[in-house]
Amino acid sequence: MINGAKRRPEFYMSQRKAVNAAAQISLGNKLLGYMTVTSIVVYLAWRAGFTLPWSYGPLAICMGLLLYLCELISGIEEVANYMGQIRPLPLEKPQMPDSWYPDVDILIATHDEDVNLLYNTVNACRYLNYPDKSKIHVYLCDDGNRPEMRELAERLGANYIDMPEPKHAKAGNMNNALAQTHSPLVAFLDSDMVPRREFLTEMVPFFFLPKVKKNAHGQWVERAKEEIDPEYKIGFIQTPQNFYNPDLFQYNLYAEDRIPNEQIFFFREINVARNRNNSALLCGSNMMVARKALEEVGYFATNNITEDHETGIRIQTAGWTTYALDICLANGLNPPAVSNLIIQRERWGRGCMQTFHNINPLTLPGIPFSRRINYLCTLLYWLTFFCRFIFIISPILVALFGVYIVECSLGELMTFWLPQFILHNIAMSRLSSKTRTAHWNNTVDTIMFPFLVVPILLDMVGVRLKRFKVTDKSHQRNTSANRILALPHIILFVMSVVGIFLCLLDIIQHRALYNVIILFWLVINAKSLILAIFFMLGRTNDRYFYRFYVKLPVEIDAGGYTFKGVTADISEGGLSAIFDYPAHLSPDQPFTVRPADRVHPAG
């Protein structure tokens, strides 16, 4: 029998077959990853030893050190992410008898959301696949004590749990529900997250990995009692937060069909890669947790506005093994307005800082070094918004004010900077299954940094802001961003354009070729800034319901005629269809729409 947390992943790796996309990595991509990591390390070492502007005065030294610190932060995060992506932990869902499937509680949290939003989520839970559906227990957990929510739960056959004295926000709501439920496994859904039929059957089997193995014939069999490692116990399974409406980055930039959802990169790449060192993040919804794990850590943390993040780390540091899957099992709503998005991301960033104040996993004893690095990267990610500001302002300072913050020649830059820049851009795209590029990464950070830097830095130094609001995801018509939000981007864009002009003038008049790199970064930043301005200007949404672009054969009966066609899109409020031949339907004429494959009685 194998003991010890460090050996468990390697011990069970031989039992599994790679099913995650992240686990299927070619030798060429591995080589690319290692080359990229090496180039980043060499570049950072060169920057630290030979390029800091010690002879250019206090302002240059201060900005030079800040720039290098930001590059170091980005470099650490990139190296950790690449090492996780090129060394994934293969994971396969085990097969087990139907009788093993235990009772499961599904807790749906609601605060002040609309009843119609909750209807979709609760109703979907009625149609989940499970060997014995009597073992599924759905609970609508309402800390608003609203009669309409109680009525909804009763109408849909769910249980209703209220809170006589609401406190501790979502954590208090979930802890109140956990105290009144009893199943060994607990699934959690946000109010807008509609589960797919396989929501339970895809997650539950992973909790039985310690009890099963594959025999010589590739069949899953139960382990003998002496083969079971008592220290290997599954604490939680996290699945991606997928969305059925375009996120604001896709929608406001008219890029729904060209770029993936902004969160896919984290959920399907970064979080899955963290399985190797047991540092996957618990993300509040679309997850299943062992009740014993929650009981061992005192349920959800209440002194944190992102209770899920801190609770997940507490479960891991208590000795439980956790996994993230890349299979989307529920679909929800993206924030409908820029202000909602800012509130959401500010809460996530501040909550991360609060976690490190409350428990600081970097200093807890007994945690493997690789896991500490991933915990550190979680913290560093939220500092990248400050880094993005430094990366934008640095070339502006050089071009407009002559503050030289890097001391080196153009040849040295081409030798040390250019290889890691090229490799990083190629690796970012290829190792992320093309869900993210370096340019798109910079653009997202550029859009968000003016609104996140101050609150996150304040929480980092222990100044907790009293302002806190749950993300509003209700349907909205004609949503558009407040134009004032674009002001920081406009100012920086104008300064970048002036810097581009001055750089070009200097290159032409004085053949100052070292300004080529400054010019390059000014152009790159200006491109991201102009996209940020367009993003903030917004895009009008004239629809109340979100459309699903699906093609389904339909028949429409109107005026005694039947028209056959294929849907172009469908929403909760209607559909549009394309016919093979011209068809006129009067707006005043009633008609019936049905799936074309439905069997109808004669006459």
Side-chain angles (χ1 to χ4, degrees), residues 434-602:
K434 297 185 178 181
T435 59
R436 184 64 62 95
T437 65
H439 169 64
W440 184 236
N441 209 43
N442 292 342
T443 300
V444 171
D445 291 349
T446 299
I447 289 171
M448 299 303 301
F449 86 83
F451 320 104
L452 300 181
V453 169
V454 173
I456 288 174
L457 288 180
L458 285 176
D459 248 298
M460 183 179 181
V461 298
V463 180
R464 292 200 176 187
L465 303 180
K466 294 183 179 179
R467 178 167 54 92
F468 167 70
K469 187 178 180 182
V470 223
T471 308
D472 181 11
K473 293 187 178 180
S474 57
H475 291 294
Q476 297 183 21
R477 285 182 181 269
N478 298 318
T479 59
S480 61
N482 187 341
R483 273 57 174 177
I484 297 176
L485 296 176
L487 190 58
H489 302 106
I490 293 172
I491 293 172
L492 290 170
F493 176 72
V494 171
M495 295 175 73
S496 296
V497 170
V498 173
I500 290 171
F501 172 77
L502 293 177
C503 269
L504 286 171
L505 194 63
D506 200 27
I507 292 171
I508 294 170
Q509 288 182 343
H510 304 102
R511 296 183 180 180
L513 294 181
Y514 55 83
N515 274 343
V516 169
I517 298 298
I518 302 301
L519 177 63
F520 174 80
W521 279 114
L522 285 169
V523 171
I524 293 293
N525 291 340
K527 183 179 179 182
S528 293
L529 285 165
I530 199 167
L531 287 173
I533 293 169
F534 279 117
F535 175 89
M536 290 302 170
L537 292 179
R539 176 182 172 189
T540 301
N541 177 17
D542 291 320
R543 288 180 175 263
Y544 185 81
F545 295 109
Y546 296 107
R547 289 177 289 177
F548 300 89
Y549 296 94
V550 293
K551 294 183 178 181
L552 297 173
V554 292
E555 293 181 356
I556 298 179
D557 294 332
Y561 295 95
T562 298
F563 304 95
K564 295 184 178 182
V566 177
T567 62
D569 61 69
I570 298 176
S571 73
E572 293 181 51
L575 60 84
S576 64
I578 301 173
F579 301 108
D580 294 331
Y581 46 87
H584 175 72
L585 298 177
S586 171
D588 302 323
Q589 184 179 22
F591 59 87
T592 302
V593 182
R594 64 175 179 270
D597 58 351
R598 181 172 295 178
V599 178
H600 304 283

Side-chain angles (χ1 to χ4, degrees), residues 223-296:
R223 288 182 177 274
K225 186 176 181 180
E226 61 273 11
E227 291 182 298
I228 296 177
D229 180 358
E231 293 186 16
Y232 182 41
K233 48 189 180 179
I234 309 300
F236 68 77
I237 300 295
Q238 177 67 60
T239 68
Q241 293 190 11
N242 201 46
F243 303 93
Y244 54 79
N245 64 318
D247 67 32
L248 284 170
F249 301 101
Q250 297 171 304
Y251 189 78
N252 282 5
L253 296 176
Y254 296 84
E256 297 99 318
D257 298 328
R258 295 193 300 276
I259 59 175
N261 183 280
E262 181 258 342
Q263 290 190 53
I264 281 187
F265 175 61
F266 168 75
F267 279 108
R268 303 189 73 170
E269 302 291 337
I270 301 301
N271 213 31
V272 171
R274 291 184 170 205
N275 286 340
R276 174 166 286 278
N277 50 37
N278 194 27
S279 58
L281 296 186
L282 190 67
C283 300
S285 184
N286 308 3
M287 64 193 192
M288 185 174 289
V289 189
R291 182 178 293 272
K292 286 184 179 180
L294 285 168
E295 291 173 346
E296 189 170 330

